[in-house]
Amino acid sequence: MFITSSCVPQVARPDGFFDDVEFSDTCEGLYFLLNEGNVCASSCNDGEVVADEEQLQELLAENEFEEFILDNIEISEGVCITPPEVIERPSDSIFIDDDFCICKNQKVASVTSGPDCAATCLEKEVTVATIFGSVTPGAKVKDDEQLQNLFGFCNNALDNTPDGQDANPPSCELIATDIDGRRFATNLKTYQGTNLFEANLESTGARFGEAYTFHIEETGSGIENAQSDYEQFKLFEPGDDDEYEGNLKIKLVSQYTCMIRATATSPNYDASQSIYLDTIRKHFYMPIDYPTPYLPPGVSDTIFCHDYIKEGQTDDAPQFSRLELTPGHFSLWDVNDVRFIKDGEIRTVDYLIKQRMIDMGANVSGNKEYFAPLETCVAPNVSVEDGGMPEACTSADSGLISSGLAMIPFFTDNSGNAICPGEAEYNSSTIEFRAIGEIVGVPTEGLYFAKGPREVIDLGDGNKQEVKPADVMFIRESQLKKIWFHLTSNGVHYKPTADTVSQPTYFYWPADEDAPYVQKRGYQKLYQVMHSSELTSSGYTTSIPTTIKPLDRKMACIPITQQ
């Protein structure tokens, strides 16, 4: 290949870079744009990188440049090239199907196993708790000829070993994580040409009766450590009558964000550039096994919920991971547990708790409801016709779903303090709490609503627009109490106590537990803790009973699955 045109520094380029120099035949102090052949500029074009020494030598060896171009390359700040394609094993493109089974001695051994697992486990002659499952590969795996399925993802080598590093054969592990963040790993068995897997969970060291999240991770090659999405399990030793054995099944709920932004439309801005003046964060919540919600095409200038720079596509798609995704941000109970089936107006679990109280000697009359559905907004309700601006999430049509069941808080006296029972209550002399502890099996903590500030965006045409409704997020009690505070009339922060929790309570988000009273401008927003009844007038709904408002505005009790 011959490049014969002269190297001309640009005076004005369409991408906004300027070089205030006269036309000349030198690129000194500038970058040589190889793809344009005769242009030098103060920066590479979008999507280009400066060639490193190895790439430059390869470039010179493969091309016959004229002498003056070689001179310009030598005195330039660098040569801009199209970056070479990076071969990598993708993360977030393996999705664990939620109908997995955990079996032991031909019986179901987990409260999180699917509804067909009793029949499946009859065929599995394993003497340790073993998970049998499958995955659905995303486009990045399915469409890659070198990967295609879970077996390929876990076992096929890629030509991506860093220079100077020995290539290790790829392999996958199942990684279980407990509530304290400790990781437990075991080898994952896969099958040629399929998406099936199995793993011995007892070999991880996972304990029976405790909740774990788990994912699949390629660890053998030691390069990307690419991983799947998350699911969760909780083991129990199978007995003779398993239908009501073990702790109640838990459902993890993930948090992610979408960013609303304003694009400049003023003639003062270059029409060829996208100028974004303001961004506003909105939080959304989905069960960990919920199909990825994605936005319609054509709204990305106003709102986006995925990393479009990483994915290389502005329009959303179901294979893209959600923005700032936090798997298992909090937990609920899974409505698919047979003990949550209603017999008339009361769920089976309510009868089980009542019967256990009677067995303990309590005199119980009537029926009590302990659990209620919790609704979350799973995705923004947007359309191109409305300019991509999300509407309030108030019904199923606007993205409101029932994500699981929460426990109704307890009031043991007239103080207004609400209790979410834990180990202390389960081991107390209160028969009701002891019975709940035996049936529920895990300690609980409070779940809180918090409302963000009123925010406006600069539309770029001299006008501003308030984004309604304000952002609302969920936060766990164990996390909230590390960052919450009250404010005095002159803005001084101070920590809430049992005597002050009824006062207006705030926190900064995203959280900084090391400095919770210092707001990071441009990054953190001020949120106010509010009870669900206080949000009803703002267009937010929940099915948790709100007849009594706890002093600290606790709106529900949820299982503790992380600290």
Side-chain angles (χ1 to χ4, degrees), residues 327-345:
H329 179 67
F330 65 91
S331 303
L332 297 171
W333 284 278
D334 192 339
V335 295
N336 292 319
D337 190 308
V338 295
R339 288 164 288 188
F340 287 120
I341 296 174
K342 277 197 170 185
D343 182 2
E345 295 299 316

Side-chain angles (χ1 to χ4, degrees), residues 54 160-168:
E54 182 179 344
N160 63 346
T161 305
D163 293 338
Q165 180 176 321
D166 294 333
N168 295 317

